[in-house]
């Protein structure tokens, strides 16, 4: 199991204040984190920042979060946490799940303690433990 302080997290959110605040919270917990504010910038950043976890907003202008994370996973194995506070997210996430992309979903706003608990529950290199996958699958 990878310690929370050894995780590297890429935050992707078009709301600069939200992304930067989340990075600040993660860094305060000892996690190496960086933010990007759109899909294309995140795709460039992941080339030099080997993230264990990507926390990505779903609804963004241009390339949405689902498209961004699909492209990230084509080249870089990491754990995906999608998040959003918009109702339009449901259809995008449901379509992703139908295509076999069973990523975790977080609702905005999220309490820092809840996010840190989620990150602490991740296994080595951001991959969820087998029992965590099984329990998530049975709740959907």
């Amino acid at each position: 199991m990878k310690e929370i302080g050894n995780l590297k997290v890429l935050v992707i959110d078009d709301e600069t204040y939200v992304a930067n605040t989340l990075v600040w919270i993660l860094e305060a917990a000892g996690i190496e984190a960086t933010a990007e504010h759109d899909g294309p910038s995140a795709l460039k950043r992941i080339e030099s920042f080997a993230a264990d976890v990507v926390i990505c907003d779903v609804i963004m202008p241009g390339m949405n979060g689902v498209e961004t994370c699909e492209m990230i996973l084509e080249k870089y194995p990491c754990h995906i946490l999608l998040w959003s506070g918009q109702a339009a997210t449901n259809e995008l996430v449901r379509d992703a799940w139908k295509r076999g992309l069973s990523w975790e979903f977080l609702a905005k706003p999220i309490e820092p303690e809840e996010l840190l608990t989620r990150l602490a529950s991740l296994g080595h290199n951001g991959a969820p433990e087998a029992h965590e996958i099984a329990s998530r699958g049975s709740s959907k």
Side-chain angles (χ1 to χ4, degrees):
M1 167 99 50
K2 195 162 193 168
E3 296 295 321
I4 193 167
N6 293 331
L7 287 177
K8 292 176 71 172
V9 178
L10 173 60
V11 177
I12 310 166
D13 198 311
D14 59 306
E15 296 180 59
T16 303
Y17 177 78
V18 171
N20 293 344
T21 300
L22 187 54
V23 166
W24 179 81
I25 290 166
L26 295 171
E27 288 178 340
I31 297 169
E32 185 177 352
T34 190
E36 291 297 338
H37 308 291
D38 59 64
S41 296
L43 293 172
K44 288 179 186 171
R45 182 69 175 126
I46 196 92
E47 292 175 6
S48 61
F49 185 81
D52 300 302
V53 180
V54 171
I55 301 173
C56 187
D57 188 17
V58 177
I59 305 295
M60 297 187 294
M63 183 184 297
N64 69 48
V66 172
E67 294 167 330
T68 301
C69 290
E70 283 183 286
M71 293 181 78
I72 287 172
L73 286 178
E74 286 177 6
K75 295 183 180 180
Y76 307 99
C78 59
H79 188 84
I80 302 293
L81 296 173
L82 292 176
W83 73 330
S84 183
Q86 297 184 28
T89 298
N90 293 340
E91 187 175 329
L92 283 171
V93 172
R94 189 174 27 255
D95 289 345
W97 284 342
K98 285 179 184 177
R99 293 193 322 268
L101 304 170
S102 58
W103 302 326
E104 284 188 72
F105 182 77
L106 305 172
K108 284 182 187 178
I110 188 167
E111 291 294 323
E113 295 81 18
E114 180 184 349
L115 177 61
L116 295 173
T117 298
R118 287 275 185 107
L119 291 174
S121 73
L122 298 178
H124 182 67
N125 288 332
E129 299 295 332
H131 70 278
E132 184 183 345
I133 294 170
S135 66
R136 278 200 313 257
S138 63
S139 66
K140 290 182 183 164

